[in-house]
Amino acid sequence: MTAGRRVVVVGGSIAGWTTATALRTRGYDGQITVVERETRCYDRPPLSKTALVDSASIDDLAFADAADIAAQRIDVVCGRRVTELHVAGPSVVLDDGTRLDADTVVLATGARARQPSFPGADLPGVTTLRTYADAMTLHGLIGRRVAVVGAGLIGAEAAAALRTAGSDVVLIDPHEVPGAHAFGPTLAAHLHAMHAENGVRTHTGRVRSVVRSGAALRVTLDDGAAFDVDGVLVGTGVELDTALAEHAGIEVDGGILVDDAGRTSAPGVFAVGDATCRRSSGAPTPSRGHWDAARLDGLAAAAAIVGAQPDPRRADWFWSDRYGHHIEVVGDMAGAGDEVTRPGIHPAVFRVADGRLLAAASVDDPMAVRAARRLIDRAVPVEVDRLVDPGVPLRTLLPRA
Amino acid sequence: MPTRTGQTIKVGVVGDIDDDEAIVVSRETAGTQDDIAVVRSDGQYFAIDNTCTHEQTSLADGWIEDGCLECPLHSATFRLADGAVLSPPAKAGIAVHTIEVVGDDLMLTPNPDRLA
């Protein structure tokens, strides 16, 4: 190919879209092509929150409209899948046979919702939540009876959104306190209790089967409990989409293996977002699968592609919205360190080790986590006595510039 | 000082707003479509529409640092000087208004495009 340079991005969700736009911001002047299997490049966090309830249009969720996409000189190929990746070149082939040669290919293939394995999982009315179409299916269950299987982030948010919108919701999870991996045990218990407080029936157990029962679906658990519902949402995790990388002979081990800038084992091929696993130092670290982590991956890859130094990596951060409450987390609340709690209507919880903050989580106090994020990123020494004192604004723990 | 729509109004005095803090001027007072956040960062004053362009929330409650404001809900980041969006999930920038220090007074002139 004699034309100018080109980056092809496979996948137009937050990691891929950020890569494309950051390339332009960084001054990349070649061609940028984003291949997205769905009808738009769009933002997914609202799918389990506002979009589900409000039936937002996909154009509302799209990262950019046609004029903005044109202004950024990004070629977006929607409704097409990449079926082959050739590392020599590199190049990709689309499902209509089109071949796209590139200087750099960025894999932003993400993850799919894990399909449930219980009998009846394939019945109409049993769905997962990963796409806009899934969210619109769930929108149709507003005001009706819904079983939500899995009380992790997706299940908990969808249960809350449906309940708030008037659905009769039963929330089923095998753990007494779901969400401890995301929030730590203290806050997970506090958050899980919100479901019952808001009229969701919570049930500890596993689904044995789903069968059609007249107009309803009957969900039977391993303890014999049974619920007749109009729809079932299964939120039991994801499966990474690493097939293109694997078939191309790129190293995959718990995700597409990448360095801090997203470089895979194949020259000219980068990977960003949920499907990646970083091998910077020590054991490979899978992506946390959160929106901000995927976005930061895109920023880092774009910098590397143009030969610039990436910004220092910030601590992982995510939010969750439910029952009118806004939860934020920075760092790994299930990771190293000791958990300490700042009392309040909602506890703020911190993980500390050796006088340093490692992680923090708050409910309806986002500025606590914004301060914590900076305390972590700037490696500011902290005193536990002040962390847990509700009278001390966390921002005052940051040295002023 | 008249408070007629679109007029310059006094919204406070120097010392009312600490650095990296903000106050809210109601739309009724300003005669504008949205409330206005009057923000101080690095000793300078800025005025922007107070509602994030992503979801309904008060930007005055956000994180203010280095001439930027980070939305309290989802961390969309706006540059205070011109309202440009520097970080998603917001797609659109935020409208800015004119704020000037006259003597000790903070004088706000609403953006003509944002009048009620």
Side-chain angles (χ1 to χ4, degrees):
Chain A
M1 178 159 176
T2 55
R5 302 154 65 213
R6 173 152 78 179
V7 175
V8 172
V9 181
V10 184
S13 205
I14 183 68
W17 186 254
T18 300
T19 307
T21 54
L23 281 167
R24 283 288 180 251
T25 308
R26 289 274 188 181
Y28 180 79
D29 201 38
Q31 193 175 352
I32 301 173
T33 304
V34 179
V35 184
E36 167 56 45
R37 66 178 63 183
E38 295 198 47
T39 60
R40 299 280 190 289
C41 297
Y42 67 92
D43 209 19
R44 293 177 197 262
L47 295 181
S48 52
K49 310 177 183 80
T50 51
L52 193 169
V53 174
D54 302 341
S55 185
S57 80
I58 195 162
D59 286 325
D60 289 337
L61 302 182
F63 292 117
D65 60 21
D68 188 19
I69 291 169
Q72 299 198 65
R73 293 184 295 124
I74 295 172
D75 302 323
V76 176
V77 181
C78 280
R80 288 275 162 239
R81 289 166 196 266
V82 172
T83 54
E84 293 172 44
L85 163 66
H86 300 284
V87 295
S91 65
V92 300
V93 179
L94 310 191
D95 56 1
D96 64 353
T98 304
R99 177 189 166 111
L100 302 176
D101 293 306
D103 303 282
T104 304
V105 171
V106 181
L107 299 173
T109 45
R112 291 180 291 264
R114 182 178 295 141
Q115 294 304 305
S117 57
F118 49 75
D122 53 352
L123 283 173
V126 181
T127 185
T128 54
L129 176 52
R130 189 74 186 173
T131 66
Y132 178 74
D134 295 337
M136 292 307 101
T137 299
L138 289 172
H139 178 77
L141 290 170
I142 286 177
R144 306 177 73 193
R145 300 169 299 173
V146 188
V148 177
V149 180
L153 286 171
I154 298 287
E157 289 188 351
L162 287 164
R163 177 65 198 144
T164 305
S167 298
D168 178 7
V169 179
V170 56
L171 179 59
I172 300 156
D173 193 281
H175 301 100
E176 287 281 351
V177 180
H181 63 286
F183 299 111
T186 304
L187 202 61
H190 181 80
L191 294 174
H192 191 60
M194 282 184 183
H195 295 298
E197 289 160 11
N198 285 277
V200 167
R201 286 173 291 158
T202 55
H203 201 99
T204 305
R206 291 176 192 277
V207 175
R208 182 192 295 162
S209 67
V210 177
V211 296
R212 181 145 295 282
S213 170
L217 292 166
R218 175 160 295 171
V219 181
T220 304
L221 306 190
D222 50 9
D223 64 1
F227 304 94
D228 284 345
V229 294
D230 302 302
V232 179
L233 166 64
V234 182
T236 53
V238 297
E239 291 168 350
L240 308 186
D241 190 347
T242 59
L244 279 175
E246 285 178 65
H247 290 145
I250 291 171
E251 285 181 49
V252 174
D253 182 8
I256 305 169
L257 288 172
V258 294
D259 70 6
D260 285 347
R263 295 181 190 86
T264 70
S265 63
V269 180
F270 285 68
V272 291
D274 292 0
T276 63
C277 182
R278 261 193 293 163
R279 50 171 170 194
S280 37
S281 58
T285 311
S287 169
R288 297 284 302 281
H290 295 303
W291 180 91
D292 196 50
R295 190 180 70 82
L296 295 175
D297 284 355
L299 294 178
I305 290 167
V306 302
Q309 186 68 28
D311 295 329
R313 181 82 179 194
R314 301 197 320 209
D316 278 328
W317 169 82
F318 71 90
W319 79 87
S320 180
D321 296 328
R322 54 184 79 170
Y323 303 115
H325 298 290
H326 178 71
I327 303 136
E328 293 200 8
V329 178
V330 63
D332 183 358
M333 286 299 294
D338 299 317
E339 189 178 283
V340 297
T341 299
R342 168 180 288 226
I345 301 167
H346 304 287
V349 186
F350 306 93
R351 295 196 79 86
V352 291
D354 303 326
R356 294 294 163 90
L357 188 59
L358 303 178
S362 72
V363 181
D364 295 340
D365 187 9
M367 291 307 106
V369 165
R370 305 303 168 84
R373 193 175 85 196
R374 289 159 172 94
L375 289 167
I376 295 169
D377 288 345
R378 299 172 195 172
V380 176
V382 293
E383 294 168 33
V384 169
D385 290 353
R386 289 167 63 78
L387 271 184
V388 301
D389 182 350
V392 177
L394 276 183
R395 185 161 187 161
T396 62
L397 303 187
L398 279 167
R400 292 203 71 99
Chain B
M1 180 66 63
T3 56
R4 202 153 49 81
T5 299
Q7 293 277 344
T8 299
I9 56 171
K10 176 179 170 180
V11 295
V13 296
V14 169
D16 283 354
I17 311 173
D18 287 335
D19 218 28
D20 302 327
E21 299 281 346
I23 61 167
V24 177
V25 178
S26 75
R27 62 194 75 193
E28 294 77 14
T29 301
T32 44
Q33 295 170 41
D34 190 7
D35 297 340
I36 294 174
V38 177
V39 184
R40 191 177 128 184
S41 179
D42 291 339
Q44 284 191 283
Y45 292 91
F46 304 92
I48 61 173
D49 272 11
N50 192 43
T51 306
C52 186
T53 59
H54 176 238
E55 283 183 22
Q56 291 272 326
T57 193
S58 168
L59 289 174
D61 296 331
W63 185 277
I64 300 155
E65 190 173 20
D66 294 339
C68 295
L69 186 147
E70 190 178 288
C71 175
L73 270 191
H74 306 127
S75 277
T77 305
F78 301 95
R79 186 163 56 209
L80 290 164
D82 63 359
V85 59
L86 301 181
S87 186
K91 292 184 271 189
I94 193 91
V96 297
H97 306 268
T98 303
I99 184 104
E100 290 175 302
V101 181
V102 180
D104 267 351
D105 295 338
L106 303 179
M107 305 301 296
L108 173 70
T109 307
N111 183 329
D113 295 336
R114 298 295 294 153
L115 294 177

